[in-house]
Coordinates of all heavy atoms in Angstrom, one line a residue:
D844 N 119.8 78.0 88.1 CA 121.0 77.5 88.7 C 120.8 76.1 89.4 O 121.7 75.6 90.0 CB 121.5 78.5 89.7 CG 121.8 79.8 89.1 OD1 122.6 79.8 88.1 OD2 121.2 80.8 89.4
V845 N 119.5 75.6 89.4 CA 119.2 74.4 90.1 C 119.7 73.2 89.2 O 119.6 73.3 88.0 CB 117.7 74.3 90.3 CG1 117.3 72.9 90.6 CG2 117.3 75.3 91.4
T846 N 120.3 72.2 89.8 CA 120.8 71.0 89.1 C 120.1 69.8 89.6 O 119.4 69.8 90.6 CB 122.3 70.9 89.3 OG1 122.6 70.5 90.6 CG2 123.0 72.2 89.0
A847 N 120.5 68.7 89.1 CA 120.0 67.4 89.5 C 120.4 67.1 91.0 O 119.6 66.4 91.7 CB 120.5 66.2 88.6
A848 N 121.4 67.7 91.5 CA 121.8 67.5 92.9 C 120.8 68.2 93.8 O 120.8 67.9 95.0 CB 123.2 68.1 93.1
D849 N 120.0 69.1 93.2 CA 119.0 69.8 94.1 C 117.6 69.2 94.1 O 116.6 69.7 94.6 CB 118.9 71.2 93.6 CG 120.2 72.0 93.6 OD1 120.8 71.9 94.7 OD2 120.6 72.6 92.6
H850 N 117.5 68.0 93.5 CA 116.1 67.4 93.4 C 115.4 67.2 94.7 O 114.2 67.5 94.9 CB 116.2 66.0 92.7 CG 116.4 66.1 91.2 ND1 116.5 64.9 90.4 CD2 116.4 67.1 90.4 CE1 116.7 65.3 89.2 NE2 116.6 66.6 89.1
A851 N 116.2 66.8 95.7 CA 115.5 66.6 97.1 C 115.1 68.0 97.6 O 114.0 68.1 98.2 CB 116.5 65.9 98.0
M852 N 115.9 69.0 97.5 CA 115.6 70.3 98.0 C 114.3 70.9 97.3 O 113.4 71.4 97.9 CB 116.8 71.3 97.8 CG 116.5 72.7 98.2 SD 117.9 73.7 97.8 CE 117.5 74.1 96.1
V853 N 114.3 70.8 95.9 CA 113.2 71.3 95.2 C 111.9 70.5 95.5 O 110.9 71.1 95.6 CB 113.6 71.3 93.7 CG1 112.3 71.7 92.8 CG2 114.7 72.3 93.4
G854 N 112.1 69.2 95.6 CA 110.9 68.4 96.0 C 110.4 68.8 97.3 O 109.1 68.9 97.5
H855 N 111.2 69.1 98.2 CA 110.8 69.5 99.6 C 110.1 70.8 99.5 O 109.1 71.1 100.2 CB 112.0 69.5 100.5 CG 111.6 69.6 102.0 ND1 110.8 68.7 102.6 CD2 111.9 70.6 102.9 CE1 110.6 69.1 103.8 NE2 111.2 70.2 104.0
M856 N 110.6 71.7 98.7 CA 109.9 73.0 98.5 C 108.5 72.8 98.0 O 107.6 73.5 98.5 CB 110.7 73.9 97.5 CG 112.0 74.4 98.0 SD 113.0 75.3 96.7 CE 112.0 76.8 96.6
V857 N 108.3 71.9 97.0 CA 107.0 71.7 96.4 C 106.0 71.1 97.5 O 104.9 71.5 97.6 CB 107.1 70.8 95.2 CG1 105.7 70.4 94.7 CG2 107.9 71.6 94.1
T858 N 106.5 70.1 98.2 CA 105.6 69.5 99.2 C 105.3 70.4 100.3 O 104.2 70.4 100.9 CB 106.2 68.2 99.7 OG1 107.5 68.4 100.2 CG2 106.2 67.1 98.6
T859 N 106.3 71.3 100.7 CA 106.0 72.3 101.7 C 105.0 73.3 101.2 O 104.1 73.7 101.9 CB 107.3 73.0 102.1 OG1 108.2 72.1 102.6 CG2 107.1 74.1 103.1
A860 N 105.1 73.7 99.9 CA 104.1 74.7 99.4 C 102.7 74.1 99.4 O 101.8 74.7 99.8 CB 104.5 75.0 97.9
A861 N 102.6 72.8 99.1 CA 101.3 72.1 99.2 C 100.8 72.0 100.6 O 99.6 72.2 100.9 CB 101.3 70.7 98.5
A862 N 101.7 71.8 101.5 CA 101.3 71.7 102.9 C 100.8 73.0 103.5 O 99.8 73.1 104.2 CB 102.4 71.1 103.8
V863 N 101.5 74.1 103.1 CA 101.1 75.5 103.5 C 99.7 75.8 102.9 O 98.8 76.3 103.6 CB 102.2 76.5 103.0 CG1 101.6 77.9 103.2 CG2 103.5 76.3 103.8
A864 N 99.5 75.5 101.6 CA 98.2 75.8 101.0 C 97.1 75.0 101.7 O 96.0 75.5 101.9 CB 98.3 75.4 99.5

Side-chain angles (χ1 to χ4, degrees):
D844 303 302
V845 166
T846 72
D849 300 311
H850 282 177
M852 178 186 83
V853 171
H855 192 60
M856 291 174 71
V857 171
T858 55
T859 300
V863 168

